[in-house]
Amino acid sequence: MKVHEFQAKQVLARFGVPVPKSGVTDSVDEAVEIAKGLDGSVSVVKAQIHAGGRGKGGGVKLARSLDEVRQHAQAILGMTLVTHQTGPEGKLVNRILIEEGQNIDQELYFGIVVDRATSSPIVMASREGGMEIEEVAAENPDAILKEQVDLAVGLTAFQARRLAFGLGLEGKTVNRAVKLMLACYRAFEETDAAMLEINPLMVSKEGDVLALDAKMDFDDNALFRHRDIAEMRDLTEEDEKEIEASKFDLNYITLSGTVGCMVNGAGLAMATMDIIKHAGAEPANFLDVGGGATQERVEAAFKLILSDENVKAVLINIFGGIVRCDMIARGVIEAAKNLHLQVPVVVRLEGTNADEGLNLLEESGLGLIPAKGLAAAAKKVAEVVKGA
Ligand code: ADP
Ligand code: MG
């Protein structure tokens, strides 16, 4: 689960990470009030959306007076902000952060991710902050310093110091950076975060070290342990279909193809997507209805697939192990009746009560296309899509 910059900064501040003074709001008047309460002559108005690159897109503006705060707040609130991370449709800005302007000397990069290869957190730092780290990684990978963390020990002061020296820091800033890094690691570990990124990590002209931007992504499976963080979820930032899916405990991810997929089991869902591609078509979604699917859940899943305008055909691929194929068939039939089905549906049922399920589908008169075997089903749905 992703959160906004202001929320990530709240979490980090709780662990002692220095962040600029700020306030968040959805109103222009209140933005001016917040700015009045900040120290210094400059404040920064920052769009709060779940995407980076806001600066380049016009979502981060420096204000040198309260009038300018008002102007920028007016312009940014309600704007559709397009950045390289939002896609061309952009994202509506509902909230802004009003932050104390900082006297920046250096913009560095700091991040923590979970490395699948070593099954451990990797702490990264770079002098090339403020810009896209993906670009640095592609063009100048040596500019990214890395420390692999032993989970039993955590990030050590020694490792943090090595990063700080690697960043070229000197004097008092070294210890300040070390403290910040250790606090960030504690925050990452204790909140079950999956990703933490501070870009830029700022060194001020006065030698202070601050998190000027912050991004955190939390492990959904651990959110039950962090009520306060779970409450930070902003549904307006998420894909509507994925929200609907999460209500029914469906594992659903929207993709860009035209073949809607309904499958039980994540592994089978992956294999189904592969074989659809192999047959020359593209999946419109990943959907795992789960091993313990109920008729209600199957109905919800089928509705979800059909609500996607890109879907030109559907492939239902069910292996009846725990789940019974006749129950799946009933769910599909109920949903199809309610939605008066417009697209062709290819069905492959195998396993427990498969024949009964296929019979039900045939008798339903909905014109569902049965298929024997996964390859044949994929071939058929690809043909149907090309014909459509
Ligand atoms: P994004 O990464 O989405 O573009 P950032 O929060 O990193 O947004 O802001 C972009 C740039 O704006 C930063 O690299 C920094 O130069 C400047 N900036 C952000 N916050 C402040 C601040 N409080 N004071 C001064 N400059 C800031
Ligand atoms: Mg940034």
Side-chain angles (χ1 to χ4, degrees):
M1 186 192 85
K2 287 186 189 153
V3 296
H4 289 289
E5 173 196 5
F6 78 91
Q7 295 166 322
K9 282 177 170 169
Q10 281 168 6
V11 172
L12 292 174
R14 229 192 285 151
F15 288 86
V17 177
V19 297
K21 250 200 200 172
S22 67
V24 73
T25 178
D26 59 2
S27 108
V28 174
D29 288 336
E30 208 182 332
V32 175
E33 286 309 309
I34 293 169
K36 273 185 199 164
L38 300 178
D39 307 330
S41 54
V42 179
S43 34
V44 183
V45 181
K46 307 179 83 176
Q48 297 299 290
I49 55 168
H50 284 190
R54 296 163 301 164
K56 275 191 201 154
V60 177
K61 296 271 189 202
L62 226 68
R64 294 177 196 285
S65 66
L66 293 178
D67 275 345
E68 279 187 24
V69 170
R70 181 173 292 280
Q71 279 168 26
H72 294 322
Q74 243 151 13
I76 295 175
L77 271 174
M79 86 186 279
T80 301
L81 183 54
V82 180
T83 81
H84 67 280
Q85 287 185 0
T86 60
E89 68 282 4
K91 272 194 173 162
L92 181 68
V93 181
N94 296 315
R95 271 181 292 191
I96 45 175
L97 183 70
I98 316 298
E99 193 170 75
E100 215 168 81
Q102 301 297 316
N103 209 356
I104 303 174
D105 184 35
Q106 287 184 69
E107 296 199 14
L108 308 170
Y109 174 92
F110 180 79
I112 309 176
V113 291
V114 179
D115 178 32
R116 283 158 206 269
T118 56
S119 306
S120 61
I122 299 273
V123 179
M124 297 181 293
S126 172
R127 290 188 207 211
E128 311 279 331
M131 55 201 285
E132 285 158 47
I133 198 68
E134 292 81 358
E135 250 171 53
V136 180
E139 284 162 24
N140 190 11
D142 291 343
I144 302 177
L145 312 168
K146 292 182 187 154
E147 291 290 338
Q148 185 185 330
V149 178
D150 181 337
L151 271 173
V153 182
L155 182 69
T156 64
F158 165 72
Q159 288 178 303
R161 267 200 300 279
R162 192 154 58 186
L163 288 172
F165 286 126
L167 288 171
L169 300 178
E170 288 170 355
K172 274 187 270 183
T173 56
V174 173
N175 274 345
R176 288 174 183 162
V178 165
K179 257 178 95 176
L180 178 142
M181 290 178 197
L182 295 175
C184 280
Y185 185 79
R186 269 200 312 279
F188 178 88
E189 188 181 31
E190 284 184 31
T191 61
D192 293 306
M195 192 276 296
L196 167 102
E197 189 179 74
I198 297 179
N199 190 19
L201 170 68
M202 181 209 71
V203 182
S204 74
K205 297 241 162 71
E206 299 78 32
D208 292 321
V209 183
L210 255 75
L212 213 50
D213 188 8
K215 224 188 237 179
M216 288 187 89
D217 196 344
F218 299 94
D219 183 347
D220 293 332
N221 294 313
L223 280 176
F224 73 97
R225 311 206 282 197
H226 308 286
R227 272 269 174 82
D228 51 336
I229 291 168
E231 277 171 11
M232 291 179 173
R233 186 170 178 194
D234 182 352
L235 293 177
T236 65
E237 291 285 335
E238 295 179 25
D239 182 292
E240 267 174 49
K241 289 192 211 67
E242 291 175 17
I243 296 169
E244 189 60 26
S246 70
K247 287 186 200 154
F248 290 91
D249 278 332
L250 299 163
N251 294 313
Y252 177 92
I253 294 161
T254 304
L255 301 169
S256 56
T258 54
V259 177
C261 307
M262 184 155 100
V263 188
N264 67 323
L268 189 59
M270 297 297 276
T272 305
M273 286 163 54
D274 280 349
I275 206 157
I276 287 172
K277 276 181 178 260
H278 192 67
E282 291 288 328
N285 65 278
F286 168 93
L287 171 64
D288 166 19
V289 294
T294 58
Q295 185 174 326
E296 189 198 17
R297 220 199 260 184
V298 170
E299 267 184 69
F302 201 53
K303 273 187 202 156
L304 205 64
I305 293 174
L306 295 180
S307 69
D308 182 347
E309 291 162 3
N310 293 329
V311 168
K312 301 283 177 275
V314 178
L315 174 57
I316 298 176
N317 183 26
I318 300 293
F319 181 76
I322 302 168
V323 75
R324 298 187 339 262
C325 292
D326 60 310
M327 188 275 296
I328 296 277
R330 284 195 187 91
V332 169
I333 291 165
E334 272 313 304
K337 270 192 204 150
N338 295 337
L339 294 164
H340 49 257
L341 194 59
Q342 303 260 332
V343 297
V345 179
V346 176
V347 187
R348 182 227 177 190
L349 299 178
E350 204 64 72
T352 312
N353 296 1
D355 289 339
E356 205 180 325
L358 284 169
N359 281 339
L360 283 170
L361 291 174
E362 205 160 308
E363 285 162 14
S364 71
L366 290 165
L368 306 169
I369 308 161
K372 274 251 172 258
L374 182 47
K379 209 170 139 217
K380 193 155 261 174
V381 83
E383 279 168 17
V384 180
V385 152
K386 277 176 201 145

